[in-house]
């Protein structure tokens, strides 16, 4: 039975930060930059799932290179909105990165720990180059010195959901980026 208080799945959201149209336009721009960068390189995209799933799927379709794709799973958020401890790589890649020009794709650059750790891992596995592309960048939260090579949007220090990003595993399917109501930040 429908809830009398509106769709229950949207009750945690405060407002929209980035619209679906803005994301679509920005991805076209990132695609142009990446097509120039990787025009003559053997390209491999490595997506950090689940968060990067939707961004990667849309970004890939703006790329012309006959690239290879692999995914890995890293985990530092166990529940709620607080990162706990160091990132763990909980599911390894299947493809060999040796000699490949790897583009690492993630949903959001926050403390920087995840991408710093994964980039380091891929370099030690023998990639020819490692660059990073994130949809969102929360610069104010950085704890390790790490900058992405390609950034969709710089955003303020708010907990965001949608377009792959979750709150307790929900909201990944939102087509836009929304801000969680501050009362849920404490997680
Ligand atoms: P970092 O290692 O840079 O602190 O964390 C990166 C990961 O933390 C992201 O891939 C994402 O899974 C999660 N994360 C960081 N900030 C947010 C946020 O505002 N919303 C959501 N849903 N996840 C976030
Ligand atoms: Mg993530």
């Amino acid at each position: 039975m429908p809830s009398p208080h509106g769709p229950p799945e949207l009750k945690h959201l405060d407002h929209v930060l980035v619209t679906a149209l803005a994301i679509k336009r920005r991805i076209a721009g990132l695609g142009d930059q990446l097509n120039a960068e990787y025009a003559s390189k053997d390209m491999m995209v490595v997506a950090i799932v689940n968060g990067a799933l939707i961004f990667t799927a849309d970004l890939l379709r703006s790329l012309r290179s006959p690239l290879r794709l692999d995914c890995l799973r890293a985990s530092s958020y166990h529940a709620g909105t607080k990162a706990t401890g160091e990132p763990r790589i909980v599911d390894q890649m299947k493809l060999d990165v040796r000699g490949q020009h790897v583009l690492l794709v993630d949903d959001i650059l926050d403390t920087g720990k995840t991408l710093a750790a994964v980039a380091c891992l891929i370099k030690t596995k023998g990639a020819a180059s490692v660059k990073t592309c994130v949809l969102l960048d929360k610069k104010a939260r950085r704890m390790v010195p790490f900058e992405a090579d390609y950034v969709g949007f710089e955003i303020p220090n708010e907990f965001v959901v949608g377009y792959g990003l979750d709150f307790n595993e929900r909201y990944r399917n939102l087509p836009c980026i929304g801000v969680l109501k501050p009362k849920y930040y404490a997680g």
Side-chain angles (χ1 to χ4, degrees), residues 101-131:
H101 293 278
V102 173
L103 181 70
L104 257 178
V105 180
D106 205 358
D107 49 3
I108 185 166
L109 183 51
D110 187 37
T111 66
K113 288 181 179 181
T114 304
L115 272 178
V118 174
C120 179
L121 175 81
I122 288 177
K123 276 178 203 152
T124 35
K125 282 176 180 274
S129 70
V130 181
K131 298 219 167 184

PDB file of all heavy atoms in Angstrom, residues 101-131:
ATOM      1  N   HIS A 101      47.558   1.282 -20.147  1.00  0.00           N
ATOM      2  CA  HIS A 101      47.329   2.651 -19.676  1.00  0.00           C
ATOM      3  C   HIS A 101      45.976   2.642 -18.961  1.00  0.00           C
ATOM      4  O   HIS A 101      44.925   2.595 -19.597  1.00  0.00           O
ATOM      5  CB  HIS A 101      47.357   3.628 -20.849  1.00  0.00           C
ATOM      6  CG  HIS A 101      48.724   3.732 -21.453  1.00  0.00           C
ATOM      7  ND1 HIS A 101      49.703   4.535 -20.910  1.00  0.00           N
ATOM      8  CD2 HIS A 101      49.286   3.098 -22.507  1.00  0.00           C
ATOM      9  CE1 HIS A 101      50.816   4.410 -21.620  1.00  0.00           C
ATOM     10  NE2 HIS A 101      50.584   3.535 -22.600  1.00  0.00           N
ATOM     11  N   VAL A 102      46.056   2.644 -17.635  1.00  0.00           N
ATOM     12  CA  VAL A 102      44.859   2.420 -16.827  1.00  0.00           C
ATOM     13  C   VAL A 102      44.203   3.745 -16.425  1.00  0.00           C
ATOM     14  O   VAL A 102      44.868   4.666 -15.945  1.00  0.00           O
ATOM     15  CB  VAL A 102      45.211   1.610 -15.553  1.00  0.00           C
ATOM     16  CG1 VAL A 102      44.007   1.513 -14.619  1.00  0.00           C
ATOM     17  CG2 VAL A 102      45.708   0.219 -15.931  1.00  0.00           C
ATOM     18  N   LEU A 103      42.900   3.805 -16.647  1.00  0.00           N
ATOM     19  CA  LEU A 103      42.104   4.912 -16.112  1.00  0.00           C
ATOM     20  C   LEU A 103      41.246   4.334 -14.987  1.00  0.00           C
ATOM     21  O   LEU A 103      40.367   3.508 -15.218  1.00  0.00           O
ATOM     22  CB  LEU A 103      41.201   5.524 -17.188  1.00  0.00           C
ATOM     23  CG  LEU A 103      40.351   6.701 -16.683  1.00  0.00           C
ATOM     24  CD1 LEU A 103      41.229   7.932 -16.405  1.00  0.00           C
ATOM     25  CD2 LEU A 103      39.243   7.055 -17.673  1.00  0.00           C
ATOM     26  N   LEU A 104      41.543   4.803 -13.768  1.00  0.00           N
ATOM     27  CA  LEU A 104      40.779   4.353 -12.604  1.00  0.00           C
ATOM     28  C   LEU A 104      39.560   5.263 -12.454  1.00  0.00           C
ATOM     29  O   LEU A 104      39.705   6.490 -12.451  1.00  0.00           O
ATOM     30  CB  LEU A 104      41.631   4.572 -11.356  1.00  0.00           C
ATOM     31  CG  LEU A 104      42.314   3.405 -10.699  1.00  0.00           C
ATOM     32  CD1 LEU A 104      43.130   3.913  -9.519  1.00  0.00           C
ATOM     33  CD2 LEU A 104      41.276   2.402 -10.240  1.00  0.00           C
ATOM     34  N   VAL A 105      38.386   4.675 -12.325  1.00  0.00           N
ATOM     35  CA  VAL A 105      37.169   5.487 -12.234  1.00  0.00           C
ATOM     36  C   VAL A 105      36.479   5.240 -10.897  1.00  0.00           C
ATOM     37  O   VAL A 105      36.246   4.082 -10.521  1.00  0.00           O
ATOM     38  CB  VAL A 105      36.193   5.160 -13.388  1.00  0.00           C
ATOM     39  CG1 VAL A 105      34.934   6.013 -13.284  1.00  0.00           C
ATOM     40  CG2 VAL A 105      36.869   5.387 -14.735  1.00  0.00           C
ATOM     41  N   ASP A 106      36.177   6.326 -10.182  1.00  0.00           N
ATOM     42  CA  ASP A 106      35.410   6.181  -8.943  1.00  0.00           C
ATOM     43  C   ASP A 106      34.308   7.230  -8.903  1.00  0.00           C
ATOM     44  O   ASP A 106      34.329   8.210  -9.658  1.00  0.00           O
ATOM     45  CB  ASP A 106      36.323   6.289  -7.715  1.00  0.00           C
ATOM     46  CG  ASP A 106      35.734   5.555  -6.493  1.00  0.00           C
ATOM     47  OD1 ASP A 106      34.617   5.003  -6.598  1.00  0.00           O
ATOM     48  OD2 ASP A 106      36.385   5.547  -5.448  1.00  0.00           O
ATOM     49  N   ASP A 107      33.355   7.005  -8.007  1.00  0.00           N
ATOM     50  CA  ASP A 107      32.242   7.936  -7.889  1.00  0.00           C
ATOM     51  C   ASP A 107      32.672   9.261  -7.268  1.00  0.00           C
ATOM     52  O   ASP A 107      32.342  10.328  -7.760  1.00  0.00           O
ATOM     53  CB  ASP A 107      31.085   7.300  -7.083  1.00  0.00           C
ATOM     54  CG  ASP A 107      31.543   6.667  -5.767  1.00  0.00           C
ATOM     55  OD1 ASP A 107      32.745   6.751  -5.429  1.00  0.00           O
ATOM     56  OD2 ASP A 107      30.689   6.095  -5.071  1.00  0.00           O
ATOM     57  N   ILE A 108      33.425   9.177  -6.159  1.00  0.00           N
ATOM     58  CA  ILE A 108      33.735  10.406  -5.409  1.00  0.00           C
ATOM     59  C   ILE A 108      35.100  10.287  -4.747  1.00  0.00           C
ATOM     60  O   ILE A 108      35.482   9.222  -4.271  1.00  0.00           O
ATOM     61  CB  ILE A 108      32.622  10.691  -4.368  1.00  0.00           C
ATOM     62  CG1 ILE A 108      32.836  12.025  -3.650  1.00  0.00           C
ATOM     63  CG2 ILE A 108      32.467   9.567  -3.365  1.00  0.00           C
ATOM     64  CD1 ILE A 108      31.612  12.502  -2.877  1.00  0.00           C
ATOM     65  N   LEU A 109      35.818  11.398  -4.773  1.00  0.00           N
ATOM     66  CA  LEU A 109      37.105  11.502  -4.079  1.00  0.00           C
ATOM     67  C   LEU A 109      36.837  12.258  -2.792  1.00  0.00           C
ATOM     68  O   LEU A 109      36.430  13.431  -2.818  1.00  0.00           O
ATOM     69  CB  LEU A 109      38.085  12.241  -4.989  1.00  0.00           C
ATOM     70  CG  LEU A 109      39.524  12.437  -4.545  1.00  0.00           C
ATOM     71  CD1 LEU A 109      40.183  11.151  -4.097  1.00  0.00           C
ATOM     72  CD2 LEU A 109      40.316  13.046  -5.701  1.00  0.00           C
ATOM     73  N   ASP A 110      37.055  11.579  -1.668  1.00  0.00           N
ATOM     74  CA  ASP A 110      36.693  12.139  -0.365  1.00  0.00           C
ATOM     75  C   ASP A 110      37.981  12.310   0.454  1.00  0.00           C
ATOM     76  O   ASP A 110      38.711  13.270   0.247  1.00  0.00           O
ATOM     77  CB  ASP A 110      35.683  11.171   0.276  1.00  0.00           C
ATOM     78  CG  ASP A 110      35.074  11.675   1.568  1.00  0.00           C
ATOM     79  OD1 ASP A 110      34.814  12.875   1.667  1.00  0.00           O
ATOM     80  OD2 ASP A 110      34.848  10.861   2.479  1.00  0.00           O
ATOM     81  N   THR A 111      38.312  11.369   1.340  1.00  0.00           N
ATOM     82  CA  THR A 111      39.579  11.481   2.075  1.00  0.00           C
ATOM     83  C   THR A 111      40.769  11.241   1.138  1.00  0.00           C
ATOM     84  O   THR A 111      41.881  11.657   1.434  1.00  0.00           O
ATOM     85  CB  THR A 111      39.665  10.442   3.211  1.00  0.00           C
ATOM     86  OG1 THR A 111      39.715   9.137   2.644  1.00  0.00           O
ATOM     87  CG2 THR A 111      38.477  10.561   4.158  1.00  0.00           C
ATOM     88  N   GLY A 112      40.533  10.549   0.035  1.00  0.00           N
ATOM     89  CA  GLY A 112      41.610  10.222  -0.904  1.00  0.00           C
ATOM     90  C   GLY A 112      42.230   8.863  -0.647  1.00  0.00           C
ATOM     91  O   GLY A 112      43.021   8.373  -1.451  1.00  0.00           O
ATOM     92  N   LYS A 113      41.861   8.225   0.466  1.00  0.00           N
ATOM     93  CA  LYS A 113      42.532   6.972   0.845  1.00  0.00           C
ATOM     94  C   LYS A 113      42.276   5.837  -0.150  1.00  0.00           C
ATOM     95  O   LYS A 113      43.178   5.070  -0.463  1.00  0.00           O
ATOM     96  CB  LYS A 113      42.060   6.535   2.237  1.00  0.00           C
ATOM     97  CG  LYS A 113      42.600   7.412   3.357  1.00  0.00           C
ATOM     98  CD  LYS A 113      42.107   6.882   4.696  1.00  0.00           C
ATOM     99  CE  LYS A 113      42.632   7.703   5.857  1.00  0.00           C
ATOM    100  NZ  LYS A 113      42.155   7.154   7.141  1.00  0.00           N
ATOM    101  N   THR A 114      41.046   5.736  -0.624  1.00  0.00           N
ATOM    102  CA  THR A 114      40.717   4.630  -1.525  1.00  0.00           C
ATOM    103  C   THR A 114      41.513   4.739  -2.825  1.00  0.00           C
ATOM    104  O   THR A 114      42.209   3.792  -3.228  1.00  0.00           O
ATOM    105  CB  THR A 114      39.207   4.601  -1.846  1.00  0.00           C
ATOM    106  OG1 THR A 114      38.485   4.535  -0.622  1.00  0.00           O
ATOM    107  CG2 THR A 114      38.838   3.430  -2.727  1.00  0.00           C
ATOM    108  N   LEU A 115      41.428   5.880  -3.483  1.00  0.00           N
ATOM    109  CA  LEU A 115      42.103   6.015  -4.778  1.00  0.00           C
ATOM    110  C   LEU A 115      43.614   5.961  -4.632  1.00  0.00           C
ATOM    111  O   LEU A 115      44.302   5.404  -5.495  1.00  0.00           O
ATOM    112  CB  LEU A 115      41.659   7.306  -5.482  1.00  0.00           C
ATOM    113  CG  LEU A 115      40.403   7.141  -6.331  1.00  0.00           C
ATOM    114  CD1 LEU A 115      40.001   8.464  -6.961  1.00  0.00           C
ATOM    115  CD2 LEU A 115      40.620   6.093  -7.430  1.00  0.00           C
ATOM    116  N   ALA A 116      44.145   6.535  -3.551  1.00  0.00           N
ATOM    117  CA  ALA A 116      45.595   6.480  -3.342  1.00  0.00           C
ATOM    118  C   ALA A 116      46.036   5.024  -3.226  1.00  0.00           C
ATOM    119  O   ALA A 116      47.020   4.611  -3.847  1.00  0.00           O
ATOM    120  CB  ALA A 116      45.982   7.272  -2.089  1.00  0.00           C
ATOM    121  N   ALA A 117      45.279   4.222  -2.461  1.00  0.00           N
ATOM    122  CA  ALA A 117      45.644   2.812  -2.262  1.00  0.00           C
ATOM    123  C   ALA A 117      45.497   2.011  -3.557  1.00  0.00           C
ATOM    124  O   ALA A 117      46.373   1.221  -3.916  1.00  0.00           O
ATOM    125  CB  ALA A 117      44.783   2.205  -1.160  1.00  0.00           C
ATOM    126  N   VAL A 118      44.403   2.227  -4.266  1.00  0.00           N
ATOM    127  CA  VAL A 118      44.156   1.447  -5.489  1.00  0.00           C
ATOM    128  C   VAL A 118      45.146   1.847  -6.593  1.00  0.00           C
ATOM    129  O   VAL A 118      45.667   0.991  -7.312  1.00  0.00           O
ATOM    130  CB  VAL A 118      42.690   1.602  -5.953  1.00  0.00           C
ATOM    131  CG1 VAL A 118      42.476   0.908  -7.283  1.00  0.00           C
ATOM    132  CG2 VAL A 118      41.734   1.032  -4.910  1.00  0.00           C
ATOM    133  N   ALA A 119      45.426   3.143  -6.728  1.00  0.00           N
ATOM    134  CA  ALA A 119      46.386   3.599  -7.745  1.00  0.00           C
ATOM    135  C   ALA A 119      47.754   2.986  -7.476  1.00  0.00           C
ATOM    136  O   ALA A 119      48.443   2.533  -8.397  1.00  0.00           O
ATOM    137  CB  ALA A 119      46.467   5.124  -7.754  1.00  0.00           C
ATOM    138  N   CYS A 120      48.134   2.939  -6.213  1.00  0.00           N
ATOM    139  CA  CYS A 120      49.423   2.364  -5.825  1.00  0.00           C
ATOM    140  C   CYS A 120      49.458   0.870  -6.181  1.00  0.00           C
ATOM    141  O   CYS A 120      50.428   0.382  -6.766  1.00  0.00           O
ATOM    142  CB  CYS A 120      49.618   2.588  -4.331  1.00  0.00           C
ATOM    143  SG  CYS A 120      51.127   1.920  -3.700  1.00  0.00           S
ATOM    144  N   LEU A 121      48.384   0.170  -5.878  1.00  0.00           N
ATOM    145  CA  LEU A 121      48.296  -1.261  -6.181  1.00  0.00           C
ATOM    146  C   LEU A 121      48.453  -1.518  -7.685  1.00  0.00           C
ATOM    147  O   LEU A 121      49.189  -2.415  -8.106  1.00  0.00           O
ATOM    148  CB  LEU A 121      46.932  -1.793  -5.710  1.00  0.00           C
ATOM    149  CG  LEU A 121      46.617  -3.240  -6.052  1.00  0.00           C
ATOM    150  CD1 LEU A 121      47.281  -4.183  -5.063  1.00  0.00           C
ATOM    151  CD2 LEU A 121      45.112  -3.490  -6.066  1.00  0.00           C
ATOM    152  N   ILE A 122      47.776  -0.706  -8.492  1.00  0.00           N
ATOM    153  CA  ILE A 122      47.803  -0.936  -9.944  1.00  0.00           C
ATOM    154  C   ILE A 122      49.181  -0.607 -10.529  1.00  0.00           C
ATOM    155  O   ILE A 122      49.656  -1.285 -11.436  1.00  0.00           O
ATOM    156  CB  ILE A 122      46.657  -0.152 -10.611  1.00  0.00           C
ATOM    157  CG1 ILE A 122      45.351  -0.863 -10.231  1.00  0.00           C
ATOM    158  CG2 ILE A 122      46.812  -0.093 -12.125  1.00  0.00           C
ATOM    159  CD1 ILE A 122      44.115  -0.224 -10.714  1.00  0.00           C
ATOM    160  N   LYS A 123      49.837   0.401  -9.944  1.00  0.00           N
ATOM    161  CA  LYS A 123      51.217   0.705 -10.390  1.00  0.00           C
ATOM    162  C   LYS A 123      52.136  -0.468 -10.069  1.00  0.00           C
ATOM    163  O   LYS A 123      52.954  -0.866 -10.897  1.00  0.00           O
ATOM    164  CB  LYS A 123      51.726   1.968  -9.704  1.00  0.00           C
ATOM    165  CG  LYS A 123      51.292   3.238 -10.423  1.00  0.00           C
ATOM    166  CD  LYS A 123      51.779   4.486  -9.701  1.00  0.00           C
ATOM    167  CE  LYS A 123      50.903   5.666 -10.089  1.00  0.00           C
ATOM    168  NZ  LYS A 123      50.815   6.696  -9.053  1.00  0.00           N
ATOM    169  N   THR A 124      51.992  -1.023  -8.862  1.00  0.00           N
ATOM    170  CA  THR A 124      52.882  -2.151  -8.498  1.00  0.00           C
ATOM    171  C   THR A 124      52.608  -3.378  -9.353  1.00  0.00           C
ATOM    172  O   THR A 124      53.480  -4.221  -9.524  1.00  0.00           O
ATOM    173  CB  THR A 124      52.747  -2.573  -7.013  1.00  0.00           C
ATOM    174  OG1 THR A 124      51.401  -2.421  -6.613  1.00  0.00           O
ATOM    175  CG2 THR A 124      53.607  -1.832  -6.079  1.00  0.00           C
ATOM    176  N   LYS A 125      51.423  -3.479  -9.914  1.00  0.00           N
ATOM    177  CA  LYS A 125      51.121  -4.623 -10.791  1.00  0.00           C
ATOM    178  C   LYS A 125      51.677  -4.413 -12.196  1.00  0.00           C
ATOM    179  O   LYS A 125      51.490  -5.265 -13.064  1.00  0.00           O
ATOM    180  CB  LYS A 125      49.603  -4.831 -10.886  1.00  0.00           C
ATOM    181  CG  LYS A 125      48.995  -5.523  -9.660  1.00  0.00           C
ATOM    182  CD  LYS A 125      47.478  -5.573  -9.825  1.00  0.00           C
ATOM    183  CE  LYS A 125      46.778  -6.246  -8.660  1.00  0.00           C
ATOM    184  NZ  LYS A 125      46.699  -7.699  -8.794  1.00  0.00           N
ATOM    185  N   GLY A 126      52.294  -3.247 -12.465  1.00  0.00           N
ATOM    186  CA  GLY A 126      53.014  -3.065 -13.729  1.00  0.00           C
ATOM    187  C   GLY A 126      52.288  -2.305 -14.823  1.00  0.00           C
ATOM    188  O   GLY A 126      52.636  -2.421 -15.998  1.00  0.00           O
ATOM    189  N   ALA A 127      51.281  -1.501 -14.461  1.00  0.00           N
ATOM    190  CA  ALA A 127      50.603  -0.687 -15.478  1.00  0.00           C
ATOM    191  C   ALA A 127      51.592   0.310 -16.096  1.00  0.00           C
ATOM    192  O   ALA A 127      52.499   0.790 -15.422  1.00  0.00           O
ATOM    193  CB  ALA A 127      49.438   0.066 -14.841  1.00  0.00           C
ATOM    194  N   ALA A 128      51.401   0.621 -17.378  1.00  0.00           N
ATOM    195  CA  ALA A 128      52.272   1.592 -18.048  1.00  0.00           C
ATOM    196  C   ALA A 128      51.998   2.998 -17.517  1.00  0.00           C
ATOM    197  O   ALA A 128      52.902   3.821 -17.395  1.00  0.00           O
ATOM    198  CB  ALA A 128      52.043   1.540 -19.555  1.00  0.00           C
ATOM    199  N   SER A 129      50.726   3.291 -17.230  1.00  0.00           N
ATOM    200  CA  SER A 129      50.368   4.571 -16.601  1.00  0.00           C
ATOM    201  C   SER A 129      49.063   4.385 -15.839  1.00  0.00           C
ATOM    202  O   SER A 129      48.275   3.486 -16.154  1.00  0.00           O
ATOM    203  CB  SER A 129      50.213   5.684 -17.649  1.00  0.00           C
ATOM    204  OG  SER A 129      49.051   5.465 -18.428  1.00  0.00           O
ATOM    205  N   VAL A 130      48.870   5.214 -14.830  1.00  0.00           N
ATOM    206  CA  VAL A 130      47.628   5.173 -14.054  1.00  0.00           C
ATOM    207  C   VAL A 130      47.116   6.600 -13.896  1.00  0.00           C
ATOM    208  O   VAL A 130      47.800   7.454 -13.329  1.00  0.00           O
ATOM    209  CB  VAL A 130      47.824   4.557 -12.649  1.00  0.00           C
ATOM    210  CG1 VAL A 130      46.492   4.510 -11.901  1.00  0.00           C
ATOM    211  CG2 VAL A 130      48.433   3.168 -12.730  1.00  0.00           C
ATOM    212  N   LYS A 131      45.916   6.859 -14.430  1.00  0.00           N
ATOM    213  CA  LYS A 131      45.261   8.149 -14.215  1.00  0.00           C
ATOM    214  C   LYS A 131      43.915   7.893 -13.552  1.00  0.00           C
ATOM    215  O   LYS A 131      43.404   6.762 -13.595  1.00  0.00           O
ATOM    216  CB  LYS A 131      45.088   8.897 -15.532  1.00  0.00           C
ATOM    217  CG  LYS A 131      46.425   9.215 -16.179  1.00  0.00           C
ATOM    218  CD  LYS A 131      46.468  10.562 -16.814  1.00  0.00           C
ATOM    219  CE  LYS A 131      47.917  10.909 -17.141  1.00  0.00           C
ATOM    220  NZ  LYS A 131      48.065  12.246 -17.685  1.00  0.00           N
TER     221      LYS A 131
END
